[in-house]
Amino acid sequence: PGVDAAILSAAVDLLGEVGYARLTMDQVAARAGVSKASLYLRWANKVALVAEAIQQRSGAVPAVPDTGSLREDMGVFLRALLRSRSAARQALSAVSGEVASNPELREAWHRGLAGTLSDCVRAIVERAAERGELPATSDVELLSVLPLALLQHLRLVSERPPTDDVVARTVERIVDQFYTPATSHTPADRATEDDR
């Protein structure tokens, strides 16, 4: 276990320093203080190593909250996600920049970190639907992907890590727009109010 931890930590550190394209298995072995044989016994190639390193060592997957409220659960999870991702921002940026052009890395990314994050959001959305906070006809898949896509967009267009204030406002906007249960007014109620 100590060897695994050293290798995964070395991989994350080096990703942040040299980027994915320039990262080599030799560098990781040297930084971790292990032999290349030890490295290749555990991971067949750089893609497999990087995918696991990002998921295990970046702290990028927060616990899924269960407060009994869709709005609260989503807010807590997204704020924790943004804070944890900032801790490994350089490593995550190095990988996410390569995902578009590297099919093998993209598949590993979706099976690993991206898939895990989607599963977390999906659990929050499904629980809310079971509690009746969302209509039974809600598109759970879409609602599970939306916040992650929006946060990824924020990261891509931002030149520097978002401040705590930007994080708070962004999370509030996402939650207000997509995860706040609608009022119980029916179309007929609205028409009656408009007539007044």
Side-chain angles (χ1 to χ4, degrees):
V3 171
D4 290 0
I7 292 170
L8 293 170
S9 292
V12 168
D13 291 345
L14 285 164
L15 274 170
E17 293 169 22
V18 303
Y20 178 82
R22 292 179 28 218
L23 178 73
T24 67
M25 297 291 264
D26 287 344
Q27 290 171 324
V28 174
R31 175 71 61 93
V34 302
S35 69
K36 279 179 29 180
S38 291
L39 188 60
Y40 280 106
L41 277 173
R42 291 162 170 81
W43 293 277
N45 55 40
K46 182 168 80 168
V47 169
L49 171 60
V50 166
E52 186 171 344
I54 289 292
Q55 184 160 357
Q56 298 296 322
R57 290 291 157 189
S58 67
V61 183
V64 179
D66 188 3
T67 66
S69 160
L70 170 61
R71 180 180 175 79
E72 289 300 313
D73 285 352
M74 196 61 70
V76 167
F77 181 78
L78 294 179
R79 282 189 293 274
L81 175 62
L82 282 170
R83 286 190 200 105
S84 65
R85 286 176 68 103
S86 66
R89 175 169 291 277
Q90 289 179 307
L92 288 163
S93 294
V95 173
S96 60
E98 292 285 330
V99 165
S101 60
N102 185 325
E104 191 180 6
L105 181 60
R106 181 170 52 248
E107 184 181 339
W109 175 263
H110 288 298
R111 275 196 325 264
L113 181 61
T116 301
L117 291 174
S118 291
D119 290 345
C120 291
V121 177
R122 186 178 296 107
I124 293 170
V125 173
E126 286 174 345
R127 277 200 310 252
E130 289 167 8
R131 288 191 302 259
E133 288 184 271
L134 292 171
T137 57
S138 294
D139 187 335
V140 171
E141 192 63 34
L142 181 64
L143 289 174
S144 301
V145 172
L146 270 173
L148 302 175
L150 291 169
L151 294 179
Q152 175 74 358
H153 175 73
L154 172 69
R155 190 191 65 71
L156 290 173
V157 300
S158 177
E159 291 184 9
R160 56 178 80 94
T163 64
D164 286 344
D165 186 47
V166 169
V167 167
R169 281 185 285 130
T170 301
V171 168
E172 285 302 309
R173 289 173 63 200
I174 290 171
V175 171
D176 286 347
Q177 185 64 41
F178 301 109
Y179 302 101
T180 300
T183 61
S184 59
H185 290 295
T186 65
D189 292 334
R190 282 192 210 100
T192 303
E193 288 173 4
D194 291 343
D195 290 340
R196 291 182 196 150

